[in-house]
Amino acid sequence: HKLFEEVMNGYKTPSKNLILSDKEVCKLIQLPQKDLQKEYSIQSIDTREVDVPAELQNGLIRIGIAEKQGKVINTHWSTNKNIMALAKVFIGPQYCGKTTAIKRTVKDCYKAGYSNVIIDYIENCDTAKEIMEVVKEEDRVILDLGKKDYIPSMSYNEVSRLINEEMDSWDRITLSNLISEQIEYLINAITDSTTGDLTAPMLRYLHAASMVTFIRPGAKINDVFTILRRWDKRNEAIRYAKYSGCFEKDDDIFFDLEELHERDKEGKIIGTREHLISGIINRIILLQKNPYLKRMLNTDIDMNEDLSQYIEEGKSIFILIPQTKFPNQSIRDILTTFYISRLWLTVQLRENNKEARLCNVFFDEVHQVPTTARFLSNHITEFRRHRLGLTLSCHFLKQLKALFNSLKSSGASYVFIAGTEKENLECMKQEIEPFSVEEGLNLKPYTSLNLVNYGNQYAKFITRLPEK
């Protein structure tokens, strides 16, 4: 330090007798520490140059352009599908290049042969529409909700289409139970000040109704509601289930459903004991208040609309839920939860996970749909095993709440785009070392500080965002 000071201030007179060791010379010519650059007003290199691992220098999905000693390095996400399926989070303010970065990622994933699912519920779905431009028309599947001429069934098509009366009874029950679990999550998610609690007995009745509903081919969510509310349809379902051979004659499911019958003094069924399922009925009413959702509940399944087939073909699926058609945030949240739970069921059904095509799902500002964020938080650690990748973009990491903790524990990667708020860098202060919060705040426009998981270890480097 003293020698450096003397040289910089010209106190050290040039002399043939000044002999420096190789370590001392190295110290003089290498990039000085930030505090020395500052103290002596040295014209410094803009960004700290660090090594980029070889695993991130060749690939299909671009991160950005790094520089090391004047050499340009094109950085990419790992080509290992297992690692590529780990979550990625793009963080930055409006107009920082976030949408362009997501668009580029979708484009590269599409060119690499991966499938993409973009769920857009913000304003008029402009982000999804912009992303569409990078996918050939024949490879796009557009589910544009809110249109009069497109009313999809609120059903789990991909599972329901596998159920038939000739199949093994155990397999039939297993598939029915898969759908029942998603229905329970979805109904539990529908809540406002009027719905009241969904108690343990109510969940038991809901499960029983779902199980006898979904052993029947082509069943939909509305059939569950009908069985719960109408005693005649409930009796039909009990009779069908008993003769299906799927259940024991004295199964608790039948006892639970018969408990809902209201009887007169002679024991004749005259109605339904609705007070036992008031929490479920309140949620059904809330769903049916929206005319489009009501139509979705009553629409028969279109077996040609099959997410598993679209994914297998490497299609890019755009699910548009425009605010103009669905101004109620809770309704948008129900729809996004329905589609992510349907996608999750779809990838779980694939038999060979190792060879399965990678499917990447993209969300912008997921905190706006809190039930969906909770769903992701609960399942994100399992996504990788089923080759389901998750890419998020947001302004603030703390808005993600519990999902942020799940992302950290699942080995997510982070791209902090220039202009990102200080609090984003401070809550990842340890993780971004050797970079400082100050360096993250002083990034040049259209550059990013990247924290990239490339297989149980992280690379940290700064890149310029590719233009296209």
Side-chain angles (χ1 to χ4, degrees), residues 77-144:
W77 299 101
S78 174
T79 51
N80 182 318
K81 274 199 291 187
N82 211 26
I83 299 166
M84 186 58 196
L86 292 169
K88 297 161 193 62
V89 191
F90 290 80
I91 311 111
Q94 275 188 315
Y95 311 117
C96 70
K98 240 183 11 247
T99 303
T100 307
I102 295 289
K103 185 177 175 181
R104 184 184 64 252
T105 305
V106 172
K107 179 184 180 180
D108 288 354
C109 287
Y110 165 62
K111 284 169 72 179
Y114 303 147
S115 178
N116 300 296
V117 179
I118 295 90
I119 305 179
D120 195 347
Y121 39 86
I122 295 170
E123 295 176 356
N124 203 30
C125 306
D126 293 329
T127 300
K129 288 171 184 173
E130 195 179 323
I131 292 169
M132 268 180 219
E133 297 166 8
V134 301
V135 178
K136 285 181 186 172
E137 202 169 331
E138 63 266 27
D139 291 327
R140 297 177 201 158
V141 175
I142 302 169
L143 310 182
D144 194 350

Side-chain angles (χ1 to χ4, degrees), residues 74 94 102 118 168 176 189 200 245 281 312 375 384 406 414 451 466:
N74 288 305
Q94 275 188 315
I102 295 289
I118 295 90
D168 178 80
S176 177
I281 290 171
E312 202 48 52
F375 183 93
R384 181 170 58 115
S406 298
Y414 306 84
L451 179 60

Side-chain angles (χ1 to χ4, degrees), residues 90-96 98 364-365 367 393-399 420-421 423-424:
F90 290 80
I91 311 111
Q94 275 188 315
Y95 311 117
C96 70
K98 240 183 11 247
D364 184 23
E365 301 298 334
H367 69 275
S393 61
C394 65
H395 290 163
F396 295 101
L397 285 169
K398 283 188 178 171
Q399 285 176 319
T420 189
E421 301 288 342
E423 68 173 79
N424 290 324

